[in-house]
Amino acid sequence: MPDLKPPARYPDLADPQARPRYTGIPTFFRVPHTEALDEVDIGIIGVPFDGGVTHRSGARHGPRAVREQSPMLRRFNAATGVAPFATARVRDLGDCWIEAPYALEGALDEIARFYRAVVAAGVVPLSVGGDHSISLPILRAVGAAGPVGMVHIDAHCDTGDDYMGSRFHHGAPFRRAMEAGLLDPARVVQIGIRGTTNDPDMWGFSRASGMRVIGMDEFDDMGWRAAAEEARRVVGAGPAYLTFDIDSLDPAEAPGTGTPEAGGITMREALRLVRALRGLDFVGADLVEVAPSFDHAGLTAFNAASILFEELCLLAEARAARG
Ligand code: MN
Ligand code: MN
């Protein structure tokens, strides 16, 4: 089928990512949208679900806000030289929308079914939430072949337990994942943990189970470089998952989230930290908890898209290294 508007002067503009960035339908990074899994190496997936939120809701609108900001990102990573769109077929798989969203555990089962199909097709998933409860069903697919390691950047460990009658809210996914044998706690590192708690040992499960917890004060003292080195040591070789909760960032740079905590990671530190994870065998990643109704000028969604691009580069490099 001929293009309605083929480029007349500049052939490079046949690539939608090279066109003026205010044009076109805003898929993630303006990659083509498809549901044909056999044509995809890395699938970017929106998960517009926030039924696991314990306080301020709105992360269900995260995927659209990140899609809207993502054309700010270009084709090449100038810092690392990685060109993810040139080395992998990166596609927007659309949204993992939920048919029965008002029943939390059923919704998570729906998400797991979706991701099992994605992983079975050999597609590496890069997801945008949604609240952090979505990482559990994603891990049910990604960790089905055996427990994976994990780099978890967040203000919260999310290894809580029952809260008001539910064990599957966004403060508990990684406890459930560990119990289900989806995570190897000795290969899990949690970075940026801080804030007040309702329990003097709120995240005790993380430490007791053998996860490495780098609280915000320790991160401040050691810096992003040493934190990344520690993450690489803990995770080591073998498949690993990367999960980035936008509330790990300082609220000054990421106000658009449901559970902000003062004194967080700066974007400058976050970009260096994530880039320094190159070489780990990431088999999936996500970016969660963007709640646009609390945002200003798209700042949080823009920073989220910027982190998402770094995650995409890590996935593309890891996939290439697996051959
Ligand atoms: Mn979280
Ligand atoms: Mn958090």
Side-chain angles (χ1 to χ4, degrees):
M1 203 165 65
D3 269 353
L4 193 57
K5 180 174 169 50
R9 296 186 198 181
Y10 306 107
D12 194 39
L13 299 183
D15 178 355
Q17 286 183 300
R19 287 177 203 163
R21 291 184 286 159
Y22 48 85
T23 65
I25 296 165
T27 58
F28 289 116
F29 308 120
R30 294 189 291 167
V31 299
H33 168 246
T34 183
E35 293 184 355
L37 293 176
D38 57 338
E39 298 166 9
V40 183
D41 297 320
I42 300 174
I44 315 181
I45 300 159
V47 188
F49 176 74
D50 59 12
V53 164
T54 54
H55 186 30
R56 305 196 302 179
S57 57
R60 73 181 64 175
H61 303 292
R64 279 212 172 159
V66 175
R67 278 193 179 94
E68 165 72 17
Q69 290 296 326
S70 68
M72 297 302 283
L73 282 295
R74 305 178 183 84
R75 290 186 288 182
F76 303 100
N77 189 325
T80 63
V82 175
F85 310 107
T87 56
R89 296 173 299 173
V90 183
R91 299 291 183 268
D92 187 327
L93 293 183
D95 284 342
C96 172
W97 58 277
I98 314 298
E99 208 168 330
Y102 306 116
L104 175 54
E105 289 174 51
L108 300 184
D109 291 343
E110 279 190 50
I111 295 170
R113 264 198 305 282
F114 181 101
Y115 278 85
R116 284 190 192 107
V118 169
V119 170
V123 175
V124 176
L126 175 58
S127 308
V128 178
D131 73 57
H132 224 154
S133 69
I134 68 162
S135 296
L136 172 62
I138 295 170
L139 283 169
R140 285 181 189 154
V142 169
V148 295
M150 183 172 74
V151 179
H152 172 203
I153 303 170
D154 197 328
H156 317 93
C157 286
D158 295 350
T159 49
D161 206 357
D162 179 276
Y163 181 70
M164 299 179 82
S166 174
R167 298 163 63 245
F168 293 89
H169 56 88
H170 71 156
F174 304 118
R175 186 163 180 152
R176 301 286 89 83
M178 210 208 90
E179 290 168 348
L182 305 168
L183 284 175
D184 175 357
R187 295 184 58 225
V188 172
V189 60
Q190 305 184 294
I191 303 172
I193 312 305
R194 64 187 188 274
T196 52
T197 59
N198 278 330
D199 180 317
D201 194 24
M202 179 96 164
W203 308 123
F205 180 87
S206 284
R207 292 184 178 86
S209 65
M211 300 179 187
R212 172 71 166 99
V213 180
I214 300 178
M216 195 62 209
D217 287 356
E218 185 181 2
F219 179 84
D220 246 351
D221 291 340
M222 75 199 304
W224 63 265
R225 193 187 302 272
E229 277 166 17
E230 179 71 347
R232 302 168 69 89
R233 183 192 68 76
V234 170
V235 172
Y241 191 73
L242 173 59
T243 183
F244 193 105
D245 186 327
I246 203 72
D247 70 28
S248 62
L249 297 179
D250 193 276
E253 295 186 271
T257 193
T259 319
E261 304 289 352
I265 299 172
T266 68
M267 264 307 281
R268 287 169 65 156
E269 291 168 329
L271 290 169
R272 298 302 296 274
L273 173 64
V274 174
R275 277 179 205 142
L277 301 175
R278 293 174 78 184
L280 292 180
D281 185 22
F282 289 116
V283 293
D286 65 41
L287 185 297
V288 298
E289 299 282 358
V290 174
S293 52
F294 302 108
D295 206 5
H296 302 290
L299 170 65
T300 309
F302 167 63
N303 281 333
S306 302
I307 295 291
L308 190 71
F309 180 76
E310 298 294 336
E311 291 187 309
L312 172 62
C313 291
L314 291 178
L315 292 180
E317 276 198 300
R319 186 184 159 276
R322 287 193 294 273

